[in-house]
Amino acid sequence: MPRLFSALVPPAVVFGHLSDFLAAHTADRDKALRWTPADNWHITFGFFGDDDDPVRRSKWLHRRADGRPAPRLRLAGAGTFPGVLWVGVHTDDVTVLARLAQAAGAGRRGYKPHLTVARWRSGEVDQAALIRLFDGYTGPWFIPDELLLMRSDFAGAGNGGDLGRRGPTYTTVDRVALTRV
């Protein structure tokens, strides 16, 4: 079942930096981890539910976010959610990031900007060791040019929110221009 969400996609230089770091530090990591392919990396702001109307959601996102200032960001550090390893997203202007996140549909309860790099089933990995692996990791600064409305499709997914064996496929539905300040 497709789901719409808003997201930022960092530039290739940021992905290259993170890919090089992961290649150098994760080769012998726990086999229970399912690493997210780099072409699926993104920073999610808001989920809009299954079967949301793409045209209506696109108009909504344009009204709220078109021309907003783009935050200056970098990937740094790491953390976990249940079953998820992520790299943190840091900014030098929390207000600009918070306003964009709110306009793009981020939840009100403790939004934590992040980029998911791996998943696992509960209890199969040493989460503290994974977080320590990223101690001192800091990627290059970047300023996104656009906010994306994306659709996720879960090929091979089963019941109960299972992402499927191959994971989701992401498609860009629309692009909302941001302003560099």
Side-chain angles (χ1 to χ4, degrees):
M1 184 172 283
R3 172 182 282 176
L4 295 177
F5 63 95
S6 59
L8 296 175
V9 175
V13 66
V14 173
F15 284 174
H17 191 271
L18 181 57
S19 292
D20 291 347
F21 176 84
L22 290 173
H25 293 89
T26 63
D28 297 326
R29 284 284 151 200
D30 195 320
K31 301 301 180 207
L33 292 172
R34 293 179 321 221
W35 294 98
T36 304
D39 59 346
N40 276 0
W41 288 347
H42 62 272
I43 301 163
T44 302
F45 280 123
F47 287 105
F48 303 119
D50 298 335
D51 292 327
D52 194 9
D53 178 49
V55 173
R56 184 180 61 79
R57 185 56 65 185
S58 179
K59 289 177 182 177
W60 178 88
L61 195 58
H62 275 276
R63 276 194 314 272
R64 295 174 56 100
D66 200 16
R68 282 199 172 266
R72 185 171 176 244
L73 305 171
R74 72 184 329 165
L75 302 177
T80 61
F81 297 136
V84 174
L85 171 64
W86 49 262
V87 176
V89 176
H90 296 260
T91 183
D92 57 1
D93 191 334
V94 175
T95 302
V96 170
L97 178 59
R99 286 182 179 158
L100 179 60
Q102 182 180 18
R108 294 180 186 208
R109 292 186 300 163
Y111 172 69
K112 179 69 178 170
H114 66 280
L115 186 146
T116 299
V117 291
R119 296 182 184 276
W120 68 89
R121 300 206 187 283
S122 302
E124 295 180 1
V125 300
D126 182 349
Q127 295 177 44
L130 287 173
I131 293 170
R132 280 192 308 274
L133 177 71
F134 286 86
D135 283 350
Y137 175 74
T138 303
W141 286 104
F142 68 96
I143 300 173
D145 295 322
E146 59 189 6
L147 175 69
L148 303 178
L149 178 61
M150 300 183 81
R151 184 183 76 228
S152 59
D153 294 293
F154 301 101
N159 294 329
D162 179 13
L163 290 177
R165 292 182 183 250
R166 292 188 306 256
T169 300
Y170 300 121
T171 305
T172 299
V173 174
D174 200 1
R175 299 170 186 276
V176 178
L178 300 175
T179 304
R180 287 185 178 237
V181 185

